[in-house]
């Protein structure tokens, strides 16, 4: 696969623009960030995909993502790469494209578990910061505005009620052919919200200088227009 790679000798004297979008699962971060990136000509960086890939690697090795020792033993063995093909991010685990494999509920849960470990977060910090140093990015995650890019040009905290987020996520998974129920998705989502907001390191929270956007009552186009307005005004 043709990977997006910079010449290491290339210098980055120009300050790149970074836009951080944080928030809980299902608030619409990824689809909105992807569309915004296309409109603005920025690179979309989906940081959740990195945590998902570590979760997947642990599961593939037959280990328990909830057991720190087993997760940490895997960290030394894995190599992650982010590649861009026609503007779409692909994540490679030891050279293999796992972009589709990481989108299951089992991997979502594993990603949330492994992301609580400080060593896992440290392992991914530089990759994320490097992406933002090298190009204009819209980066979504849980700690982008608080930890990874505290000096981001614009920070948005995107949220929605858990009922609405579960409704969207259920529709998305059913469309992909996965057998799930709304109740099950809502339960998983609440559990992940709890885990992501209560972990010791880099918990999900709104940065003091982030703009809060609640998408519960907005459709996709409405949310997109609101975010685009925030970004264009913020960059003026
Ligand atoms: O955004 P997502 O659902 O793909 O993220 C999967 C998990 O990864 C999520 O439960 C929390 C974790 N995550 C994180 O801790 N920090 C990030 N910047 C992105 C994701």
């Amino acid at each position: 696969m043709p990977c997006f790679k910079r010449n290491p000798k290339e210098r980055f004297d120009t300050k790149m623009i970074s836009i951080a979008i944080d928030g809980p699962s299902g608030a619409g971060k990824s689809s909105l960030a992807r569309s915004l990136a296309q409109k603005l000509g920025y690179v979309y960086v989906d940081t959740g995909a990195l945590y998902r890939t570590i979760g997947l690697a642990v599961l593939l090795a037959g280990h328990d993502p909830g057991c720190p020792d087993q997760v940490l033993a895997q960290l030394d063995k894995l190599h992650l790469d982010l590649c861009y093909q026609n503007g779409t991010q692909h994540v490679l685990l030891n050279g293999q494209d796992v972009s589709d494999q990481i989108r299951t509920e089992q991997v979502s849960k594993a990603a949330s578990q492994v992301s609580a470990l400080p060593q896992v977060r440290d392992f991914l910090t530089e990759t994320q910061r490097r992406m933002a140093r090298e190009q204009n990015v819209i980066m979504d995650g849980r700690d982008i505005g608080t930890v990874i890019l505290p000096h981001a040009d614009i920070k948005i905290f995107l949220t929605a009620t858990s009922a609405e987020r579960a409704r969207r996520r259920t529709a998305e998974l059913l469309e992909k052919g996965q057998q799930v129920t709304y109740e099950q998705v809502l339960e998983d989502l609440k559990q992940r919200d709890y885990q992501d907001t209560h972990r010791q390191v880099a918990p999900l929270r709104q940065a003091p200088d982030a703009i809060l956007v609640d998408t519960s009552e907005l459709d996709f186009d409405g949310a997109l227009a609101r975010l685009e307005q925030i970004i264009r005004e913020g960059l003026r």
Side-chain angles (χ1 to χ4, degrees):
M1 167 181 310
C3 272
F4 172 93
K5 287 247 158 74
R6 289 260 185 185
N7 176 349
K9 291 205 181 100
E10 205 171 329
R11 298 191 47 213
F12 303 105
D13 292 337
T14 330
K15 153 100 174 67
M16 296 297 166
I17 293 172
S18 49
I19 296 165
I21 304 185
D22 289 303
S25 311
K29 295 188 304 289
S30 331
S31 41
L32 287 165
R34 191 176 300 113
S35 293
L36 284 166
Q38 254 168 16
K39 274 182 170 232
L40 300 169
Y42 288 11
V43 172
Y44 165 50
V45 185
D46 166 8
T47 63
L50 297 168
Y51 292 93
R52 285 172 178 272
T53 303
I54 295 183
L56 175 70
V58 174
L59 292 172
L60 289 176
H63 292 320
D64 175 4
C67 172
D69 287 347
Q70 296 187 17
V71 175
L72 299 184
Q74 279 305 302
L75 268 194
D76 291 339
K77 296 185 196 149
L78 58 87
H79 182 82
L80 295 187
D81 254 329
L82 282 184
C83 288
Y84 286 83
Q85 217 176 19
N86 304 324
T88 302
Q89 174 183 299
H90 290 260
V91 61
L92 307 188
L93 169 61
N94 298 330
Q96 193 197 337
D97 189 345
V98 292
S99 310
D100 292 333
Q101 257 178 290
I102 58 173
R103 299 291 160 196
T104 65
E105 280 298 273
Q106 196 194 8
V107 175
S108 298
K109 189 167 172 233
S112 184
Q113 290 175 304
V114 302
S115 70
L117 299 176
Q119 294 91 336
V120 168
R121 307 203 71 83
D122 287 348
F123 181 79
L124 296 175
T125 296
E126 181 48 25
T127 304
Q128 297 169 81
R129 289 192 176 145
R130 181 170 43 79
M131 300 292 291
R133 269 199 307 276
E134 296 181 354
Q135 59 240 312
N136 295 328
V137 292
I138 297 195
M139 191 175 280
D140 83 17
R142 304 292 188 287
D143 62 339
I144 309 305
T146 50
V147 176
I148 302 296
L149 305 176
H151 304 296
D153 298 271
I154 294 171
K155 298 182 188 178
I156 294 168
F157 193 84
L158 204 65
T159 190
T161 61
S162 50
E164 178 56 19
R165 290 187 286 123
R167 192 192 63 72
R168 293 176 192 165
R169 181 97 184 115
T170 308
E172 195 182 296
L173 290 170
L174 288 175
E175 203 180 295
K176 280 187 192 159
Q178 293 185 31
Q179 298 300 311
V180 291
T181 63
Y182 169 81
E183 288 72 23
Q184 190 191 332
V185 171
L186 179 63
E187 189 48 42
D188 285 355
L189 192 130
K190 284 185 174 168
Q191 210 178 331
R192 261 189 291 142
D193 280 357
Y194 185 85
Q195 239 163 243
D196 295 347
T197 50
H198 286 80
R199 65 182 177 223
Q200 295 276 315
V201 195
L204 168 65
R205 64 179 174 80
Q206 184 180 345
D209 50 348
I211 298 169
L212 178 68
V213 177
D214 186 328
T215 65
S216 308
E217 305 281 318
L218 296 173
D219 63 9
F220 182 81
D221 289 343
L224 185 64
R226 174 83 188 103
L227 295 193
E228 195 179 349
Q229 181 195 20
I230 291 172
I231 293 170
R232 292 203 189 275
E233 280 174 9
L235 292 180
R236 229 185 254 151

